Amino acid sequence: MHVLFKMNMDDANATTENKSLWTTVQVRHSALERNKRCLLAYLYNRMDKIKTLRWEFGSVLPPDVRELLSDTEYDWFSKYSTNLAQYMRSLGEDIGYSGIDLTENLRPPKWLYIEVLCLTDYGKLELEDGDVVMLKKNSRHFLPTSECQTLIRQGVLKQIV
Amino acid sequence: MFIEDIRNDFYNVLLGNRVLLLVHYDVDAICACKILQELFRCDNVSYTLVPVGGLSELKSAYEENNEEVKYVVLVNCGGTVDLVDILQPDEHVVFFVLDSHKPTDICNVYSDGQVRLLYKDEEENIPNFDDIFRDDEDQENEEELEARHGLEALVERRRARKAWEERRHTLMFNYTQFSYYGKPSTSVALELAVRASRCTAAALWCASVAAAAHAALHCRSPARCLLDAEPLHRYVAAAQRKTTDDDVHQAARVVVEKDVWLPLYRWWSVEGAISHAAALAPQLRLHTHSGAARLRQLLADMGFPLQQARQAYRSMDVELRRALLPALEAAAPRQRLPAPARAAFLLQRPHAPTLAALDVVYAIMGLIENESTPRAEGFQHALAALAVGGDGESLQRGVAAARRALEAVARAAHGTLAARAVLLAGPFNYFIVQEGSPEAAALRGPLWLAEAARWVGAAHSHAPRPLLASAPGADGDCLLLGLPPRFDQEPRNLFGAAFEQAATKSGASVSLDFVDSSIISLPVSQRAQFLDALTALLA
């Protein structure tokens, strides 16, 4: 783009003397504008993808994804994360809740408690109200949906219909 | 201690708390567990379900899962042993025991609130508290009084104490001598579901499967089985009255109809079902040369062409299918077979073929004691097989496994009878399934081995004697189980107590791990000396 721009500048300076170069300047300017549009579209799409990353992975990115983002993109990601967390914390403040995690369920869950089968030896899982559940292979549990969602996504638990 | 009101003292106590459910590997326990699961799901009671196979597994499951758990429900395990002693729980943990294995351990009965039994069985003659437990304060009194009243009073007291101890010994001996089964745990669970107004077709179906299991596996005498099933008949009738004519073809329901007592006949051919039915086949003496001829004669009497009888049931002629029940009833007396038809529970579903409770019993047995899948996985499939809706994939797996297992049982029984390998030893007979025979893999578990033993026992029905069966288990151990004579009429088993005493006498390293005390496991090398000790004991 720089090359095009330089050529255009030279020609623009030159046209003050010679009016026949105006069309070339025009064409190059349109080319410059088109390139700028393409680049902006690409950057905007990347920004959108980083937003979905936040909703999918949570506020900590896995390392193989992290190294594909540029520094400025990572900055933008952390600022977006902070914004989102601030917003989620502010929800329900007047009622007394300390905020709702919106990224937990992208679709509303159908049951308050679900039955899950443990597929691997995971170990101890601490629930919100202090109960400790021992997750061993082939043990079935009936737990609140919110506790199980992350583990189901990881593949440790499997929901039994 | 016994619970009087099952809804208030058991169910309402559990609401809002986390529960640990420990379930044994047998058909009745799985059905009861399914009903309890449905109840907990309705009321959002958080639970952890762990299947256990024996006392050591019970202990390890309890130890792993006992953090922050205040209520433990044991289904068909732990009633016959002293729970507080074995599990060493904390003070505040409460155990609810629903066990059909009897006799219940005395310490569980007289526990002061930590172990609660869900129902009081009227048939058990539980000794009184004063006859078993005696305060030891008398010891101190003795020395005090010795100085005061002199020698006579002391001798008198000592004699009274000795008489009391002898009486206690006799009472305990009579109480623990026989091991037997009480009513199915599922009927208690169904009662709870009815009290909590959550008796659905699914709960009725689970209860019917458990009732069929007790009848098919001869856990209770036929008269008692009928008495146990009486509440279930009542609830099924009530449910039928509630549905109007419109609903009949829209929901699944349990009905009671007269049906042929042949396991899996709807999934097999008629000839196959008859030759593998534990009620009919031993009487046909299929292991002899004339057995096959007798079977053909029976089919001819029924009016079934041989080719039709060998076809899969669903592909048979519709007229023959309808005529199966009356034909078999008419033809059975001619071959001196027992009455083949009974009032059985069937599940009628609108868009699927009718299911018989007896078939589901064998399917579940096939799933939990499978040659290829481990028990824990089979347990999950068994729970799925009891579902009323769904596509029945687990049930089909179970039925296929049960067919293979029944074929292996038939082959093993025929092999043993034909080779006259039933050996006499003192007051009982025994036979051994040899390591390396193709049936040994299928007969590794106690349920199928017991089926084979009942087969062999029924073939000797003219001269009934107690029967022991042994099959090779895992790595050098073998399974040994005892069957009483006349198991179909009087299922009280004395082998439980006998095995314990013979184990101490012979010094063999016997593992009394199984919940049913008439099943033990011991190394193959020590089997012979154990059998000798047992012979000496029972002679």
Side-chain angles (χ1 to χ4, degrees):
Chain A
M1 279 213 5
H2 273 297
V3 171
L4 276 174
F5 184 64
K6 230 164 177 275
M7 283 166 61
N8 236 13
M9 277 302 284
D10 294 336
D11 275 339
N13 294 334
T15 44
T16 47
E17 300 116 26
N18 191 350
K19 292 208 177 106
S20 66
L21 287 175
W22 274 358
T23 37
T24 14
V25 172
Q26 192 80 331
V27 168
R28 278 206 208 100
H29 191 73
S30 329
L32 276 172
E33 277 193 332
R34 178 206 170 263
N35 284 350
K36 184 168 158 189
R37 267 205 312 275
C38 286
L39 285 172
L40 279 177
Y42 173 68
L43 283 176
Y44 181 74
N45 242 305
R46 269 181 88 94
M47 203 171 80
D48 225 16
K49 280 247 153 42
I50 299 175
K51 238 195 261 184
T52 49
L53 282 182
R54 168 65 182 91
W55 285 82
E56 252 175 67
F57 286 114
S59 59
V60 179
L61 289 175
D64 51 341
V65 175
R66 164 78 186 87
E67 66 189 12
L68 295 171
L69 297 177
S70 76
D71 287 330
T72 36
E73 283 177 332
Y74 190 68
D75 261 340
W76 185 88
F77 176 81
S78 18
K79 280 201 201 119
Y80 180 74
S81 257
T82 331
N83 261 341
L84 185 62
Q86 207 173 13
Y87 175 64
M88 291 198 295
R89 228 174 307 145
S90 73
L91 289 171
E93 237 168 20
D94 40 354
I95 318 175
Y97 281 108
S98 63
I100 311 174
D101 189 4
L102 294 169
T103 61
E104 200 181 290
N105 287 311
L106 290 175
R107 277 195 212 112
K110 284 210 170 124
W111 303 278
L112 186 56
Y113 283 72
I114 52 173
E115 173 140 22
V116 289
L117 171 67
C118 191
L119 298 171
T120 54
D121 272 335
Y122 182 76
K124 293 204 195 315
L125 172 72
E126 176 118 16
L127 300 177
E128 269 171 12
D129 45 358
D131 289 337
V132 177
V133 183
M134 178 77 177
L135 293 175
K136 266 209 119 178
K137 189 157 193 228
N138 272 323
S139 60
R140 285 164 81 115
H141 306 270
F142 187 64
L143 299 170
T145 324
S146 45
E147 319 274 353
C148 308
Q149 279 298 349
T150 28
L151 288 172
I152 291 182
R153 233 178 285 158
Q154 281 176 12
V156 174
L157 296 176
K158 185 181 89 146
Q159 184 173 5
I160 303 176
V161 200
Chain B
M1 106 179 197
F2 290 109
I3 289 188
E4 307 295 329
D5 185 353
I6 198 175
R7 174 139 192 223
N8 285 324
D9 295 333
F10 168 59
Y11 195 58
N12 287 355
V13 166
L14 292 180
L15 292 177
N17 294 306
R18 248 192 82 219
V19 179
L20 176 62
L21 256 180
L22 295 170
V23 179
H24 185 235
Y25 284 107
D26 66 68
V27 184
D28 183 26
I30 294 181
C31 298
C33 164
K34 185 106 189 150
I35 296 185
L36 284 176
Q37 266 186 317
E38 278 304 316
L39 288 175
F40 289 159
R41 223 174 288 178
C42 280
D43 285 314
N44 277 339
V45 175
S46 202
Y47 64 85
T48 300
L49 170 65
V50 185
V52 300
L55 297 174
S56 51
E57 271 185 52
L58 174 65
K59 196 155 190 270
S60 52
Y62 176 72
E63 264 154 27
E64 280 165 13
N65 288 296
N66 66 353
E67 274 191 52
E68 302 284 342
V69 154
K70 286 197 290 290
Y71 297 102
V72 184
V73 177
L74 293 137
V75 183
N76 268 7
C77 54
T80 49
V81 293
D82 187 359
L83 277 176
V84 177
D85 197 32
I86 290 192
L87 299 180
Q88 304 282 342
D90 290 336
E91 289 289 322
H92 59 272
V93 180
V94 177
F95 293 91
F96 291 100
V97 177
L98 177 63
D99 197 344
S100 63
H101 294 103
K102 309 282 178 202
T104 322
D105 192 277
I106 290 292
C107 299
N108 287 345
V109 172
Y110 291 119
S111 153
D112 52 351
Q114 198 166 18
V115 178
R116 301 183 193 176
L117 299 161
L118 284 189
Y119 71 102
K120 190 170 162 84
D121 198 335
E122 302 304 328
E123 301 161 9
E124 285 186 286
N125 299 324
I126 303 179
N128 285 328
F129 182 76
D130 300 318
D131 291 337
I132 317 249
F133 297 109
R134 188 181 165 118
D135 289 333
D136 278 329
E137 291 170 7
D138 291 348
Q139 285 280 19
E140 298 146 29
N141 285 345
E142 269 189 42
E143 282 143 48
E144 237 183 58
L145 294 169
E146 183 187 329
R148 263 192 264 165
H149 294 286
L151 214 51
E152 273 185 25
L154 189 63
V155 165
E156 181 64 39
R157 208 176 306 282
R158 288 233 179 99
R159 198 155 33 98
R161 191 186 179 82
K162 218 176 266 200
W164 181 87
E165 275 183 13
E166 268 188 42
R167 199 158 151 259
R168 176 185 191 273
H169 188 75
T170 334
L171 273 175
M172 288 297 288
F173 180 71
N174 286 343
Y175 184 61
T176 53
Q177 193 184 34
F178 288 102
S179 69
Y180 54 102
Y181 284 87
K183 64 178 176 183
S185 313
T186 318
S187 58
V188 180
L190 181 69
E191 193 65 40
L192 174 64
V194 165
R195 297 268 170 88
S197 319
R198 298 197 203 288
C199 180
T200 57
L204 286 173
W205 179 236
C206 293
S208 342
V209 172
H214 263 231
L217 302 177
H218 296 284
C219 299
R220 305 263 276 164
S221 66
R224 286 256 162 81
C225 274
L226 273 179
L227 282 175
D228 295 336
E230 187 264 330
L232 178 58
H233 282 276
R234 249 189 302 137
Y235 296 135
V236 166
Q240 266 185 334
R241 275 198 303 273
K242 253 192 270 177
T243 57
T244 62
D245 283 318
D246 308 325
D247 294 341
V248 151
H249 295 294
Q250 281 173 21
R253 53 197 196 114
V254 179
V255 296
V256 182
E257 273 177 15
K258 203 158 180 213
D259 193 25
V260 184
W261 197 250
L262 289 178
L264 301 176
Y265 76 89
R266 286 186 180 83
W267 305 76
W268 216 336
S269 62
V270 172
E271 193 198 6
I274 295 182
S275 46
H276 290 96
L280 297 184
Q283 270 77 1
L284 283 175
R285 310 190 74 76
L286 289 170
H287 54 91
T288 53
H289 284 298
S290 50
R294 248 191 290 259
L295 179 61
R296 283 199 293 274
Q297 179 66 37
L298 175 67
L299 288 171
D301 285 338
M302 280 164 55
F304 276 51
L306 204 55
Q307 200 227 10
Q308 288 280 335
R310 285 195 183 139
Q311 266 190 0
Y313 182 78
R314 297 232 163 89
S315 338
M316 224 163 70
D317 203 13
V318 178
E319 297 296 326
L320 288 177
R321 263 189 270 168
R322 286 206 199 114
L324 175 64
L325 177 58
L328 192 54
E329 271 194 297
R334 240 170 284 173
Q335 298 281 340
R336 279 182 299 238
L337 296 173
R342 265 185 231 203
F345 292 99
L346 303 174
L347 180 72
Q348 283 178 346
R349 295 174 293 177
H351 299 294
T354 320
L355 271 186
L358 185 61
D359 296 349
V360 180
V361 169
Y362 281 91
I364 293 182
M365 271 169 62
L367 284 170
I368 49 181
E369 281 187 9
N370 205 325
E371 336 175 300
S372 37
T373 31
R375 280 199 299 202
E377 219 184 293
F379 183 81
Q380 317 296 339
H381 288 294
L383 279 174
L386 274 176
V388 167
D391 57 359
E393 192 213 310
S394 302
L395 187 63
Q396 280 168 5
R397 258 177 95 157
V399 166
R403 272 174 61 168
R404 283 196 304 269
L406 272 176
E407 282 166 359
V409 163
R411 275 198 311 267
H414 291 167
T416 318
L417 289 168
R420 296 184 193 282
V422 180
L423 307 159
L424 281 92
F428 56 84
N429 294 348
Y430 69 96
F431 73 94
I432 299 179
V433 176
Q434 292 299 340
E435 172 90 35
S437 63
E439 297 85 46
L443 294 180
R444 244 179 325 150
L447 288 173
W448 290 120
L449 186 59
E451 189 75 15
R454 279 193 289 269
W455 197 299
V456 173
H460 285 279
S461 58
H462 49 92
R465 275 151 70 86
L467 184 63
L468 273 171
S470 172
D475 42 75
D477 279 349
C478 69
L479 199 67
L480 190 66
L481 64 83
L483 207 65
R486 297 216 172 278
F487 52 82
D488 46 347
Q489 299 299 330
E490 187 48 65
R492 292 162 77 94
N493 201 331
L494 52 74
F495 278 107
F499 281 162
E500 240 182 277
Q501 290 188 354
T504 38
K505 266 205 192 152
S506 69
S509 54
V510 166
S511 115
L512 297 160
D513 192 48
F514 289 89
V515 176
D516 188 351
S517 55
S518 62
I519 307 175
I520 57 168
S521 137
L522 75 163
V524 181
S525 45
Q526 297 175 343
R527 182 167 52 192
Q529 84 192 63
F530 181 78
L531 286 173
D532 291 333
L534 196 63
T535 321
L537 185 69
L538 289 174

